[in-house]
Amino acid sequence: MADTSWADSAKSLKGVILDMCGVLYDSGEGGGVPIPGSVEAVKRLKASDLQLRFCTNETQATREKFVAKLQRMGFDISVSEVFSPAPAAVAVLKERGLRPHLLVYDGLVPEFDSVDKTSPNCVVIADAADNFSYQNLNEAFRVLIGLEKPVLFSLGKGRYYKETDGLKLDVGVYMKALEYACDVEAEVIGKPASVFFQSVLNDMGIQPHEALMIGDDLVNDVGGAQHCGMKGVQVRTGKYRPSDERHPTVTADGTVDNLAQAVDMILSQRGH
């Protein structure tokens, strides 16, 4: 049974932010599959008076390729509505004059074409999937350990995510390994960093209390949004585990079976 108390505040909402993998679709073979009801749920939100943005830690493709994949699945979505860590990281690197050593998925490398990568003075890691080999991790370690003041950027800090064939280790696991080996604390770009959520709110021109985050990751989606001042609702799809509803430090404002149910509740409160 869904907790409905969070939906009482739906009348005062001005914007909704959706996580993508695990909320809209499950990734995997052939690009993945839409979660039942999610394509229609996005259409209904777009037809309402609410602003809609998508906030993802997806780092296995450029935003353009990623969005094209979702459009093929039937989602009404454009690149300008999607906030992902790589463009944010590029902005930080340029601002601070940093030259990255990249440990990322091959498909993400083009996002960093505009950045100088010679003689690296920092490391950027993302969900590199099979590129997380011992050799590649050790190479990133050597770059960091060789710097007087090591700088490590992690595009997200998730523990795992769900593909169609099961759960997969995410970037946070490898981030922790490099932190431990180099005695450095990574700077996280992406969820759950408040500055990342704030950039989405700034784009919509609304305050945190006027926005709702819907995600499958209790800590990074829901907890991150709550830390920023938003309400956070968790879906029972994607990486959701029943133990999330008894988590010691993060309690979702609501838990729903899927995105379609969340949208039903929001729009019914708003008289749509």
Side-chain angles (χ1 to χ4, degrees):
M1 187 65 193
D3 171 16
T4 60
S5 57
W6 62 273
D8 296 341
S9 62
K11 286 176 186 164
S12 62
L13 282 181
K14 291 185 179 176
V16 174
I17 304 172
L18 301 181
D19 176 40
M20 300 175 81
C21 183
V23 176
L24 304 183
Y25 74 106
D26 283 324
S27 63
E29 202 67 38
V33 293
I35 291 167
S38 59
V39 171
E40 183 61 29
V42 169
K43 280 183 186 159
R44 293 181 65 204
L45 281 175
K46 288 232 167 165
S48 76
D49 57 352
L50 290 164
Q51 293 196 66
L52 179 62
R53 297 293 185 276
F54 303 89
C55 188
T56 179
N57 276 357
E58 165 66 40
T59 52
Q60 288 199 3
T62 62
R63 274 191 305 172
E64 287 74 14
K65 286 195 173 178
F66 181 48
V67 167
K69 175 179 83 171
L70 287 163
Q71 288 171 341
R72 286 194 297 274
M73 290 183 193
F75 288 102
D76 177 6
I77 183 170
S78 62
V79 172
S80 62
E81 297 168 323
V82 175
F83 288 75
S84 62
V90 167
V92 171
L93 293 167
K94 288 180 174 177
E95 184 184 308
R96 288 163 57 175
L98 292 169
R99 303 179 303 276
H101 170 85
L102 300 176
L103 178 47
V104 302
Y105 196 76
D106 292 342
L108 193 70
V109 173
E111 288 271 24
F112 294 87
D113 282 351
S114 63
V115 178
D116 182 6
K117 293 179 278 295
T118 57
S119 187
N121 56 4
C122 70
V123 168
V124 174
I125 64 167
D127 173 22
D130 291 341
N131 283 353
F132 277 134
S133 64
Y134 175 79
Q135 183 180 343
N136 289 345
L137 275 165
N138 204 53
E139 196 179 342
F141 159 73
R142 284 175 172 171
V143 170
L144 284 173
I145 208 75
L147 296 169
E148 191 179 334
K149 290 186 177 175
V151 179
L152 172 63
F153 294 103
S154 183
L155 306 192
K157 59 184 250 185
R159 295 174 180 177
Y160 56 86
Y161 56 94
K162 186 183 178 187
E163 289 201 342
T164 48
D165 63 347
L167 298 176
K168 303 285 177 79
L169 287 175
D170 204 349
V171 62
V173 177
Y174 304 96
M175 176 194 88
K176 287 292 181 187
L178 290 172
E179 282 185 333
Y180 180 62
C182 303
D183 195 22
V184 63
E185 186 175 340
E187 297 182 42
V188 177
I189 299 177
K191 298 177 291 187
S194 292
V195 67
F196 190 61
F197 283 113
Q198 191 60 52
S199 69
V200 188
L201 294 170
N202 292 347
D203 186 65
M204 291 194 279
I206 63 177
Q207 297 300 310
H209 68 273
E210 297 172 322
L212 173 72
M213 174 75 201
I214 302 174
D216 66 324
D217 185 321
L218 182 70
V219 174
N220 292 313
D221 293 339
V222 174
Q226 289 173 334
H227 190 66
C228 192
M230 291 186 267
K231 277 193 160 49
V233 168
Q234 186 181 24
V235 289
R236 295 188 182 97
T237 54
K239 67 166 67 170
Y240 163 84
R241 322 294 287 159
S243 59
D244 289 345
E245 298 187 49
R246 304 181 299 279
H247 195 277
T249 58
V250 181
T251 303
D253 291 290
T255 309
V256 292
D257 289 339
N258 49 41
L259 177 60
Q261 186 181 59
V263 171
D264 277 345
M265 292 167 72
I266 292 166
L267 296 184
S268 66
Q269 282 291 322
R270 297 175 69 83
H272 287 287

